[in-house]
Amino acid sequence: MVAFKNYVAGEWVDSSQAIVNRNPADLADVVGEYARGDKALVGRSVAAAQAAVGKWSQATPQERADALDRIGTELLARRDELGKLLTREEGKIVADGVGEVARAGAIFKFFAGEAVRLGGEKVPSVRFGVEVEIAREPVGVVGIITPWNFPIAIPAWKIAPALAYGNCVVFKPAELVPGSAWALTEIIAHSGLPAGAFNLVMGSGAEIGDTICGAAGIDAISFTGSTAVGAIVRRAVTERGARVQLEMGGKNPLVVLDDADLPNAVGCAINGAYFQTGQRCTASSRLIVTAGVHDRFVAALVERLQKLAVGPGLDPASEMGPVVSEAQLAQDQRYLAIGRDEGARLAFGGERLNRPAQGYYMAPALFTDTHNAMRINREEIFGPVASVQKVNDFDTALETANDTEYGLSSGICTRSLKYASAFKRHSRAGMVTVNLPTAGVDYHVPFGGRKNSSYGPREQGAYAREFYTAVKTSYILPI
Ligand code: NAD
């Protein structure tokens, strides 16, 4: 018997195999054992979702809004408890864990509103006497595959619009963070949805994720994760003609110009590059700094890094928690070696840290004397590692910022309206910030990138309806 089971067709389903969920801040702390699904269970969940589509897609907008509102209300009421759970399994500091649960609650409430706001259009026909209507309908069954770094917000920003617009869901969370996914499922399970409208199947990407992508009964897949896995998902899903949306990696630039407010720029860099242990797709891993401020910026950044408190996320004094897993820590350390081999100067940190409990702690790392052709500036590291590049002027800064295969977010720190406007206009990223960190976004506006960071329509806000609804045009001759 596994304590935390999968949820299929409105029932909790046991498994003989478990995912052991450990706290990266204290490896002796087992968060729980979670049921590992298999291919057959994916098949059952797809069938259950297909069977529920009729009922849920016919539910009134008010019924859908009420269910989503109940989910949002419970998430908000339990934000402290669930925020702690999230911190225990992912490692981020508890304020961020609690904030993330609150954000998930706000997202469900936003999409509760969207369920009743979804309208259509009536347009004049070019033919005499004919009426034309454009309506949005549910797509059907949506497969949702999510990463470990936002264990409740990312599932929320996919599940909420899927359900709001009348779709049924098969959800596979990342293996490292089944706890938040299970807690969210438990809340959804008593929100009043018909059995089968929402299903949870936990397990590996290679088995469960791959089976979901190939399942003929799944009409659309929304995926967030690495660019490498995103490419596999895209091939598998487009090959069988289903709809796919991908949010993937980033190598986001933060440009700091000579005229920047220095303390604010340092704050943006610390937040963007190191908060949440640098494990954000929108993290500012490339700090592109003009020559006049470069030395002062690096000195101030190092001074702040020396004081950055690294410790368990549950300790309120910690500003940065551990790395999420042994594999991710090994990757971070590997890139430190790559950076040194490439000739970058390690200006601060990078070493593994000991804390009273055994966990995956490392000091935030800063490289200087780097250039944009180095692997540390081209490849996503996904840890608390950032590098500074010195450039001569705004034009070179912009060119360097855009010289990347990714295009998720980008930022500039400047007091010049001219440069801020030019950056906003010419940055080839899906999201641009001015005098703000590249990470940390609102929940009611579109989220997504360009180039290898994203594929398909935007997520979040009212723009989410592009992916989660199918457009139908009707012609009527009233006789
Ligand atoms: P990952 O790509 O390893 O895994 C993501 C999900 O895909 C997991 O649930 C995993 O089990 C599943 N998966 C793995 N192989 C699969 C396969 N063959 N078929 C189907 N599913 C499969 O990513 P991760 O390590 O969990 O997360 C980190 C990555 O996510 C980073 O690259 C980060 O930039 C990215 N990310 C992007 C965004 C965004 O919105 N752009 C947000 C958060 C994280």
Side-chain angles (χ1 to χ4, degrees):
M1 270 262 288
V2 179
F4 300 100
K5 301 175 173 50
N6 284 306
Y7 184 68
V8 174
E11 286 176 5
W12 296 100
V13 183
D14 205 354
S15 168
S16 57
Q17 288 192 309
I19 300 166
V20 180
N21 187 3
R22 270 181 209 283
N23 182 347
D26 177 2
L27 300 182
D29 177 26
V30 173
V31 180
E33 296 199 350
Y34 292 80
R36 193 179 279 282
D38 57 20
K39 290 183 180 181
L41 195 62
V42 174
R44 275 169 61 191
S45 65
V46 175
Q50 284 182 297
V53 164
K55 213 168 178 183
W56 185 239
S57 65
Q58 303 292 316
T60 64
Q62 190 62 54
E63 284 166 335
R64 283 189 228 148
D66 288 345
L68 267 70
D69 191 61
R70 278 192 284 273
I71 297 167
T73 300
E74 185 166 347
L75 284 167
L76 289 168
R78 293 173 60 191
R79 68 176 87 174
D80 291 335
E81 169 211 342
L82 298 179
K84 274 185 198 146
L85 169 69
L86 193 162
T87 289
R88 266 178 79 203
E89 68 175 355
E90 201 271 349
K92 66 183 67 177
I93 62 168
V94 71
D96 288 338
V98 173
E100 189 180 326
V101 176
R103 178 179 176 167
I107 289 168
F108 272 96
K109 292 210 167 246
F110 176 86
F111 282 106
E114 278 296 283
V116 291
R117 272 193 294 268
L118 185 68
E121 278 182 83
K122 187 159 185 162
V123 293
S125 170
V126 294
R127 286 174 282 169
F128 182 76
V130 173
E131 293 173 1
V132 182
E133 285 170 12
I134 303 162
R136 287 184 178 271
E137 299 182 343
V139 176
V141 177
V142 180
I144 289 175
I145 301 175
T146 54
W148 48 261
N149 64 331
F150 285 94
I152 203 156
I154 293 180
W157 81 52
K158 295 178 188 294
I159 294 166
L163 294 175
Y165 301 127
N167 303 286
C168 293
V169 171
V170 175
F171 168 43
K172 190 212 96 65
E175 242 179 307
L176 284 172
V177 289
S180 302
W182 190 92
L184 177 60
T185 299
E186 199 264 331
I187 291 172
I188 295 173
H190 58 249
S191 67
L193 300 186
F198 179 83
N199 305 273
L200 168 75
V201 186
M202 297 176 281
S204 75
E207 187 179 11
I208 308 301
D210 182 67
T211 309
I212 288 174
C213 291
I218 294 194
D219 303 289
I221 300 277
S222 182
F223 165 91
T224 297
S226 61
T227 298
V229 174
I232 297 170
V233 168
R234 177 163 73 169
R235 268 197 299 279
V237 182
T238 50
E239 203 162 82
R240 62 180 185 81
R243 198 181 265 227
V244 66
Q245 168 188 66
L246 311 167
E247 286 301 337
M248 301 172 282
K251 196 71 197 170
N252 312 292
L254 176 71
V255 169
V256 179
L257 297 185
D258 286 357
D259 71 354
D261 173 326
L262 189 59
N264 181 64
V266 170
C268 288
I270 289 284
N271 178 322
Y274 302 106
F275 281 5
Q276 302 203 19
T277 320
Q279 297 170 156
R280 291 188 285 187
C281 50
T282 47
S284 331
S285 48
R286 293 186 298 139
L287 307 172
I288 301 165
V289 187
T290 46
V293 72
H294 175 273
D295 293 358
R296 281 181 291 134
F297 174 79
V298 169
L301 194 56
V302 168
E303 198 185 320
R304 177 68 182 90
L305 282 172
Q306 281 161 347
K307 295 187 202 129
L308 193 81
V310 181
L314 290 176
D315 179 346
S318 299
E319 293 176 282
M320 187 180 110
V323 172
V324 72
S325 67
E326 196 169 353
Q328 183 61 52
L329 182 62
Q331 174 162 312
D332 298 345
Q333 295 289 319
R334 203 162 52 243
Y335 273 103
L336 290 175
I338 290 170
R340 281 202 202 89
D341 289 348
E342 289 179 313
R345 189 174 82 82
L346 188 63
F348 186 82
E351 69 277 12
R352 289 205 57 173
L353 297 174
N354 290 320
R355 291 293 176 265
Q358 199 197 338
Y360 304 123
Y361 298 100
M362 76 176 259
L366 180 72
F367 280 118
T368 58
D369 302 290
T370 79
H371 58 76
N372 212 40
M374 290 178 171
R375 285 180 64 192
I376 52 167
N377 281 322
R378 302 214 77 83
E379 298 168 18
E380 186 183 51
I381 302 172
F382 217 56
V385 184
S387 44
V388 178
Q389 302 183 58
K390 192 187 329 189
V391 293
N392 284 330
D393 51 27
F394 170 77
D395 289 342
T396 321
L398 176 66
E399 195 183 308
T400 309
N402 282 335
D403 175 20
T404 168
E405 66 166 285
Y406 296 106
L408 192 54
S409 65
S410 69
I412 187 165
C413 291
T414 178
R415 279 186 276 221
S416 153
L417 182 59
K418 175 181 152 196
Y419 288 135
S421 298
F423 188 79
K424 199 156 52 83
R425 179 136 181 239
H426 298 294
S427 171
R428 291 202 288 276
M431 297 175 289
V432 181
T433 63
V434 177
N435 296 322
L436 285 166
T438 58
V441 295
D442 287 6
Y443 66 83
H444 66 305
V445 289
F447 177 98
R450 298 182 183 178
K451 300 193 257 182
N452 285 349
S453 290
S454 293
Y455 180 83
R458 286 285 185 266
E459 298 205 84
Q460 300 196 51
Y463 281 63
R465 67 177 59 157
E466 242 7 272
F467 181 73
Y468 291 101
T469 62
V471 171
K472 182 179 278 172
T473 312
S474 304
Y475 298 90
I476 309 117
L477 180 64
I479 47 175

